[in-house]
């Protein structure tokens, strides 16, 4: 009987503490370039996953790769995230932006429908609480703004927090 109760509590706690779980795929004998990239990518992903954990209960398993042929970074809904060789993109901002793609930003029909109809019943009021009554979520090219963290120039601690809260609200809106 005790084992069943403990098992139920562990199951509940696990379900209540959703996270962005990620693993970086590494070469067995990395070159100096690969090792440097792995260090930078791991730092960026740790920061991004921690920020997501503070502001959302979204769950996703993400497989992260260093792919020198990728010009910047890219990710898709199936959970693959690839950083290219440009070190300027191995940042928390880029990792957060790409994690948003793995959660559905620009990757799902629901995102596209909500964007086309500007139908964000949770996300729009959240945005307006920060930016005023006229604020609107804009979409294009599989991205959203403001707070989509589409460019490094958009980065600030506040914008990073708001980005995750917007993605969380978009998920609540059925993205």
């Amino acid at each position: 009987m005790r084992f069943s109760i403990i098992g139920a509590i562990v199951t509940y706690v696990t379900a209540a503490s959703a996270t962005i779980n990620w693993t970086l795929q590494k070469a067995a004998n990395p070159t100096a370039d690969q090792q440097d990239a792995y260090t930078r990518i791991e730092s960026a992903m740790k920061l991004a996953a921690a920020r997501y954990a503070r502001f959302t209960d979204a769950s996703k398993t993400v497989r992260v790769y260093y792919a020198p042929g990728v010009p910047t970074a890219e990710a898709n809904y199936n959970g693959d995230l690839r950083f290219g060789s440009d070190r300027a993109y191995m940042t928390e901002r880029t990792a957060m932006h790409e994690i948003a793609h793995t959660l559905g930003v620009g990757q799902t029909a629901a995102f596209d429908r909500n964007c086309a109809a500007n139908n964000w019943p949770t996300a729009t009021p959240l945005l307006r609480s920060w930016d005023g009554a006229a604020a609107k979520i804009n979409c294009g090219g599989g991205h959203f703004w403001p707070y989509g963290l589409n460019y490094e120039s958009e980065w600030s601690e506040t914008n990073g927090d708001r980005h995750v809260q917007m993605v969380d609200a978009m998920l609540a809106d059925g993205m």
Side-chain angles (χ1 to χ4, degrees):
M1 180 69 170
R2 275 188 168 157
F3 183 72
S4 298
I5 293 171
I6 291 170
I9 291 170
V10 169
T11 301
Y12 175 75
V13 170
T14 301
S17 59
T19 59
I20 303 299
N21 294 304
W22 60 275
T23 54
L24 176 58
Q25 310 302 306
K26 296 181 180 181
N29 295 304
T31 64
D33 172 68
Q34 290 170 322
Q35 190 54 57
D36 177 64
Y38 296 157
T39 299
R40 292 169 187 261
I41 291 166
E42 285 175 334
S43 176
M45 288 300 297
K46 285 177 187 175
L47 291 168
R51 192 177 302 262
Y52 265 87
R54 285 196 307 271
F55 293 102
T56 183
D57 63 356
S59 265
K60 191 74 178 193
T61 298
V62 180
R63 290 164 306 283
V64 183
Y65 303 87
Y66 173 50
V70 172
T72 57
E74 62 187 15
N76 57 42
Y77 190 61
N78 76 0
D80 289 333
L81 190 163
R82 302 185 321 158
F83 286 89
S85 61
D86 189 337
R87 283 2 187 212
Y89 292 94
M90 294 178 187
T91 64
E92 179 183 3
R93 193 268 325 157
T94 301
M96 291 174 62
H97 173 90
E98 299 305 333
I99 289 169
H101 286 308
T102 72
L103 294 170
V105 169
Q107 300 289 311
T108 63
F111 175 83
D112 293 340
R113 278 192 306 274
N114 286 14
C115 283
N118 196 20
N119 180 24
W120 299 105
T122 306
T124 298
L126 178 63
L127 174 63
R128 290 179 175 163
S129 75
W130 301 322
D131 292 359
K136 178 182 179 237
I137 297 169
N138 299 284
C139 301
H143 297 92
F144 74 91
W145 62 92
Y147 306 111
L149 300 181
N150 302 300
Y151 301 98
E152 202 66 39
S153 61
E154 297 175 51
W155 176 253
S156 71
E157 291 294 322
T158 298
N159 288 356
D161 294 348
R162 289 180 177 180
H163 167 82
V164 178
Q165 292 172 69
M166 286 294 293
V167 171
D168 189 59
M170 289 175 160
L171 288 167
D173 290 338
M175 173 175 67

